[in-house]
Amino acid sequence: MGCDPRRLHALVDGELTGREETALREHVASCASCRDALASVERADQALRAGKAPLPSADLTARIVHHVLSQPSRRRVPALLVGAVALIACYPLAQLVTALPLPVDLRWLGLLVDGLDGALKTAVSTIPVGDARSVLPWLGAILAAQAIASILLLRRREAA
Amino acid sequence: VIRASLATWEALLTAAPESPDAELARRILAGDREAFEAFVARFQTSIFRIAYRMTGNTAEAEDLTQEVFLRLYQNLSSYDTARPLSPWVSRVACHHVLNRLRKARLRTDPIEGNEADAAPNPEEALVARRESERVSAALRELPPRLRLAIALKYEDGMTAEEIGNVMQAGRNTVKTWLFRARESLRRTLDGL
């Protein structure tokens, strides 16, 4: 085995296998240059371990919480706003659409309702649990479209 | 149709229970102050230690820690709740610390070591102080990426692979950074 400074670092980090370590230690025992280099790497490693950071101030948590929560929120307002608008817009939109004499076939309406239901199920199964808030506007939009199509379908069936 | 919709929403409500990390993130996003305090208490020491290694100064490190938490809070909605919180926190924190070092040329002081105070006699204290100053001087000469890799290894005890995940670099790249950093420090200490 030849002299390889990288292997000395790997030895200090405990990354060598038992066989590799034995071979390297045999080499180091017979090589003055590698012996000095290994001692030097171990010294650097010790110096880095010794230089641990102190603990932060006792009031740091309180200062961080106060600082962060006193900042104006950037992202929460738009997401909530979009969700609220989607929910508010759902009812008048459903009224408007169902009042229109649209020449839509019952079969296509049924397919639309099923398709939207499938889209909703796919969305629900792919959203990470607890992360629904970020996609709430999309879920609201799908649900609103489904509600409109369902009402339209029921009215057409009644008329038929 | 109504029955199908109810079944879908029931599936949403009865989905697998969320992890503690996901619950914490959800509560913070909902404006729960206690949840945010718990989040800060959980990660502040780790982030402060990295910041301290990068700046060498307690006051600067605390300011930087505060900035990191503001960044984390503002970006919490991008956290994927299906994954653990800790690697995401480390990634955002390291990205911010590196950016700050690059953009603002953050002042870096000699590490305020306690070795001299801990040494049993004045002569040893002097030697320890001198070595500590040499170590911090050598670390300050390193590029920020190398210094951050050293901080993650020696403060957080991360492996090369974990450092690579946080710093978005390959394992071998990280090992090269660590090798270069320690070689530089080794040469400095050999010169004492």
Side-chain angles (χ1 to χ4, degrees), chain A residues 42-87:
Chain A
E42 283 173 339
R43 187 179 172 199
D45 184 62
Q46 287 293 324
L48 286 166
R49 284 184 199 286
K52 284 270 181 189
L55 287 172
S57 308
D59 66 340
L60 184 62
T61 307
R63 279 193 284 137
I64 291 170
V65 171
H66 175 75
H67 173 72
V68 172
L69 297 184
S70 63
Q71 301 287 320
S73 178
R74 286 193 318 179
R75 291 173 188 244
R76 290 163 63 191
V77 174
L80 290 174
L81 200 66
V82 172
V85 168
L87 284 172

Side-chain angles (χ1 to χ4, degrees), chain B residues 105-175:
Chain B
R105 308 289 298 162
L106 201 69
R107 187 165 61 87
T108 53
D109 294 342
I111 301 281
E112 299 161 347
N114 298 321
E115 297 82 358
D117 303 330
N121 63 59
E123 198 176 316
E124 282 184 26
L126 186 66
V127 171
R129 167 71 67 191
R130 191 185 294 172
E131 182 158 312
S132 170
E133 285 170 1
R134 288 288 189 116
V135 169
S136 60
L139 289 176
R140 281 204 310 280
E141 295 300 316
L142 295 174
R145 271 186 184 277
L146 270 63
R147 214 182 323 162
L148 183 58
I150 284 285
L152 292 171
K153 177 178 170 61
Y154 285 95
E155 288 297 342
D156 274 3
M158 285 190 188
T159 63
E161 196 161 349
E162 288 166 337
I163 296 170
N165 288 338
V166 167
M167 295 180 70
Q168 289 164 334
R171 183 172 172 270
N172 287 335
T173 305
V174 173
K175 284 174 87 73

